[in-house]
Amino acid sequence: VDTTQPVTQNSSLTIPLGSLNAVQVTSRANFAGNLNGNAAPTEDWTTTVRVYDTLGGAHDVSVRFFNRQDPPGGAPPPGAVSSWQWEAFEGATPIGDSGTAGNQQLYFDANGMIINGNVFGNITVPASTGSPAFPIQLNFDKIGQLKTESQVQASDQNGFPPGSLNGFSIGVDGTITGLFTNGLTRTLGQIAMAVFPNPGGLERLGNNLWRQTDNSGVSVLGAPRTGGRGGINSGFLEQSNVDIGAEFTDLIVTQRGFQANTRVVTTVDEMLQELLNMKR
């Protein structure tokens, strides 16, 4: 939201419920779990994570951990006692591994903790129909190595499939946040608020509407909760916005309706009583 832009008659907001769609391409996937500290170099573990392209299409990426070495292979950091290699596939297509430039193996110390800092792997999912190739960063720093069975899974990824706008909420600063069916939230706009040098000089138009006058001064528009402006409370009705006459009219109509309903009950009771008396 660019609050430096002037607010004009064309600044009205339309929230297209049900017709606005949004997706989010996957750029990161996190993995957590354990790799068996007793595994032989011939043992491996494969896990799969579903990711999404720029059009919301789903891709299943498999990551295989293999070739456990004790002592570690490659160029181990100080304190490393073992290592694992990894490789990623989409279907049968290799899309990255620990030997790719910029990537590295997983190194563990004697306590089973990963020791080469934040371990990231960079892979590129190939282009598909209508969607270009896109990179994903794999995060392995939540993986440990204890002497128990391997159990590594993708803990989360930040992509989303297509979803439609299902609702919205308004924050105290006037920000309108759209809520999509796929779990995404997106900022749709922001409500501006006006202050006047002399609020008492505004002209009353009725129905809780007011108009700027020479006495009130020129309105100064801006974001709520800035420059002395108040906040916005969504879902509340201010007392000044209540039409007392209309509320009393609705109260009288409701009361009369209740009285009519009680009369119906009384009438039915009297009819049943007459019916029982006729039987006797």
Side-chain angles (χ1 to χ4, degrees):
V1 178
D2 186 0
T3 57
T4 64
Q5 294 296 316
V7 178
T8 66
Q9 293 181 350
N10 297 324
S11 300
S12 60
L13 295 174
T14 300
I15 302 177
L17 291 175
S19 61
L20 180 63
N21 297 308
V23 301
Q24 181 167 299
V25 60
T26 300
S27 62
R28 184 190 70 253
N30 298 321
F31 292 82
N34 182 71
L35 290 172
N36 191 353
N38 278 330
T42 55
E43 297 182 38
D44 64 2
W45 174 264
T46 302
T47 186
T48 301
V49 58
R50 175 159 292 183
V51 298
Y52 300 94
D53 60 30
T54 55
L55 299 181
H59 301 258
D60 290 330
V61 174
S62 298
V63 181
R64 173 176 171 254
F65 301 92
F66 66 101
N67 192 27
R68 177 182 178 273
Q69 298 184 61
D70 186 1
V81 298
S82 63
S83 65
W84 287 75
Q85 292 177 289
W86 62 270
E87 57 187 359
F89 298 87
E90 185 188 11
T93 304
I95 57 177
D97 56 47
S98 54
T100 303
N103 294 339
Q104 55 184 318
Q105 301 181 45
L106 279 63
Y107 292 100
F108 298 91
D109 63 16
N111 295 317
M113 303 294 293
I114 201 163
I115 62 174
N116 44 327
N118 292 327
V119 183
F120 299 114
N122 297 302
I123 63 175
T124 300
V125 178
S128 56
T129 305
S131 178
F134 60 100
I136 299 178
Q137 185 181 74
L138 308 181
N139 187 359
F140 299 128
D141 63 356
K142 300 299 182 183
I143 297 177
Q145 181 189 245
L146 301 177
K147 292 184 177 181
T148 184
E149 62 181 10
S150 295
Q151 188 66 38
V152 175
Q153 302 290 343
S155 57
D156 63 87
Q157 58 84 34
N158 64 345
F160 287 94
S164 60
L165 183 61
N166 188 48
F168 64 92
S169 63
I170 301 176
V172 69
D173 63 347
T175 300
I176 304 173
T177 302
L179 311 174
F180 292 82
T181 55
N182 58 3
L184 270 177
T185 59
R186 295 281 175 86
T187 298
L188 305 178
Q190 189 174 24
I191 299 174
M193 184 174 288
V195 292
F196 295 85
N198 178 26
L202 293 170
E203 178 185 354
R204 183 190 296 271
L205 299 179
N207 295 323
N208 297 308
L209 298 178
W210 302 81
R211 182 167 60 189
Q212 175 182 307
T213 66
D214 292 338
N215 191 24
S216 68
V218 178
S219 63
V220 181
L221 296 170
R225 306 192 76 181
T226 63
R229 301 174 184 86
I232 294 179
N233 291 322
S234 177
F236 292 86
L237 186 63
E238 294 185 27
Q239 185 177 3
S240 62
N241 291 335
V242 175
D243 188 336
I244 299 299
E247 294 299 324
F248 270 114
T249 301
D250 292 340
L251 178 62
I252 293 172
V253 171
T254 302
Q255 184 181 13
R256 290 301 185 185
F258 179 76
Q259 289 177 342
N261 288 334
T262 58
R263 292 295 178 87
V264 171
V265 174
T266 302
T267 301
V268 172
D269 181 63
E270 292 175 352
M271 292 174 62
L272 291 175
Q273 187 63 40
E274 288 295 331
L275 180 61
L276 293 175
N277 292 336
M278 290 174 61
K279 185 176 181 180
R280 294 194 187 100

